[in-house]
Amino acid sequence: MHRTATSIALALGLGLTAAAPSLAAAYPDHPIRMVVPFPPGSITDVVARSLGKHMAADLGQPVVVENKPGANGIIGTHDVARSKPDGYTLVVVGVSTAASGVSLFKDLPYNPAKDLAPIGAVAETPYLLVGSPKVAGANVGELFAYGRQHPGKLTYAYGSGSAQVFGAKLAAMGDINVTAVPYRGGPQALTDVIGGTVDLTFTDLANGLQQARAGKVKTYGVSTPERFALAPDIPTLNESGAPGFNLTVWFGLMGPAGLPQPVVDRLAKSLDLALADRELQETYARQGLTVKTQSPAEFGAFIDAEIGKWAAIVKETGIAPQ
């Protein structure tokens, strides 16, 4: 009897061992949903659509990009965090959804370090500070002077948690009181700056430059210490009157926690192939994006560090958690 039970157990064990590779080999066998927790036209949307196209070519299944905006990216990201961990629901995360949100919201319904599985980094980019043509000041130094002379008169639009922190950081550096106005997404915030409803916003380079070249907004500077190759004529915020300003935004790919390791490995491999593609790199470059590559483990450690980094910035700027 004992020998029979042992034989059955061994057979079952061998069967399970043999099944694991076959399950991994079968993935994916139907379309994958890639959630963008911000509106169409946002920089996160731009990142996802090119990425999804190139990953689909390698995975052999469609990667369907789904916009699910709301609450600074919380709604769409939370939807993925509570999805079945089978590799068929992914999310493009960024500073707002995987780092700064931990400090900006008292009751964030998910923990990015625990409820999401890292697959890899994707890209990074600076932000561009733009203003309505009606706003006083040709540079940040003059903008600060105006803000000090007219406390609370300047308004600042933001469509993401990262943009919110960028604006608060700038206001703190200039010792000015700026009224922050939340929007559903970056494109909507930029539209109202163009229309003069609000004065300022931090936006992605591609959209900001397009509107600046058309004369619809004025530019104050990029958020990195060096000028950006896409717009070498635009100064940095350091040059424009905010010395020491140095912030960038980044994007990565994650799934719900508990993804099987073979699925993580398959997705990470597909992500690396996509990011190595020259067409994707050129598409990103035209949008002011630079490819950023990290393994799942490296990206997970990066997120842990970023949560701490942005918590310190939120505390420094005095933003009250919502």
Side-chain angles (χ1 to χ4, degrees):
M1 181 67 72
H2 174 71
R3 291 174 61 187
T4 302
T6 301
S7 299
I8 293 173
L10 285 171
L12 285 172
L14 289 171
L16 289 172
T17 302
S22 63
L23 288 172
Y27 173 82
D29 62 8
H30 61 269
I32 295 169
R33 184 169 68 116
M34 182 180 286
V35 173
V36 172
F38 293 100
S42 63
I43 189 63
T44 312
D45 185 64
V46 171
V47 168
R49 292 192 182 276
S50 188
L51 182 64
K53 170 188 170 183
H54 285 81
M55 288 184 68
D58 171 64
L59 293 168
Q61 291 290 340
V63 176
V64 182
V65 175
E66 177 184 336
N67 295 92
K68 199 162 187 176
N72 277 322
I74 293 174
I75 292 174
T77 309
H78 185 217
D79 174 67
V80 175
R82 60 186 177 180
S83 296
K84 184 178 179 181
D86 56 8
Y88 291 98
T89 304
L90 308 174
V91 61
V92 177
V93 299
V95 171
S96 302
T97 50
S100 64
V102 175
S103 299
L104 290 173
F105 298 96
K106 296 176 183 176
D107 299 311
L108 192 68
Y110 64 91
N111 183 325
K114 295 180 180 179
D115 299 328
L116 294 168
I119 296 166
V122 176
E124 60 187 355
T125 184
Y127 266 163
L128 175 65
L129 179 66
V130 300
S132 164
K134 298 185 296 183
V135 180
N139 54 52
V140 173
E142 293 178 4
L143 191 67
F144 284 166
Y146 176 83
R148 295 187 197 106
Q149 293 168 5
H150 304 86
K153 188 170 182 180
L154 286 172
T155 54
Y156 172 76
Y158 66 89
S160 67
S162 56
Q164 179 185 8
V165 178
F166 274 55
K169 173 75 171 176
L170 187 74
M173 291 181 71
D175 192 25
I176 58 175
N177 181 13
V178 178
T179 301
V181 185
Y183 280 78
R184 191 174 178 85
Q188 292 82 356
L190 181 59
T191 295
D192 272 9
V193 169
I194 293 169
T197 305
V198 285
D199 296 325
L200 305 162
T201 192
F202 272 102
T203 185
D204 63 275
L205 280 174
N207 282 329
L209 288 174
Q210 180 182 2
Q211 301 305 329
R213 304 301 190 216
K216 295 181 179 180
V217 296
K218 62 170 64 176
T219 58
Y220 288 98
V222 293
S223 64
T224 44
E226 300 82 25
R227 295 195 181 199
F228 203 70
L230 190 65
D233 56 318
I234 294 179
T236 67
L237 292 176
N238 288 260
E239 296 173 272
S240 188
F245 198 101
N246 179 18
L247 291 175
T248 58
V249 290
W250 47 263
F251 306 91
L253 188 64
M254 303 185 84
L259 282 179
Q261 192 59 47
V263 171
V264 173
D265 293 342
R266 180 69 183 92
L267 287 168
K269 178 184 177 183
S270 181
L271 174 60
D272 286 345
L273 287 172
L275 297 179
D277 187 273
R278 183 175 295 276
E279 180 187 350
L280 178 142
Q281 292 175 359
E282 292 175 349
T283 298
Y284 277 6
R286 288 193 295 272
Q287 302 297 323
L289 293 156
T290 303
V291 164
K292 177 182 176 71
T293 58
Q294 288 176 319
S295 69
E298 289 169 339
F299 188 46
F302 173 76
I303 288 173
D304 288 341
E306 286 288 291
I307 290 173
K309 168 188 169 180
W310 289 92
I313 297 173
V314 169
K315 182 177 180 181
E316 169 196 336
T317 56
I319 301 176
Q322 300 177 31

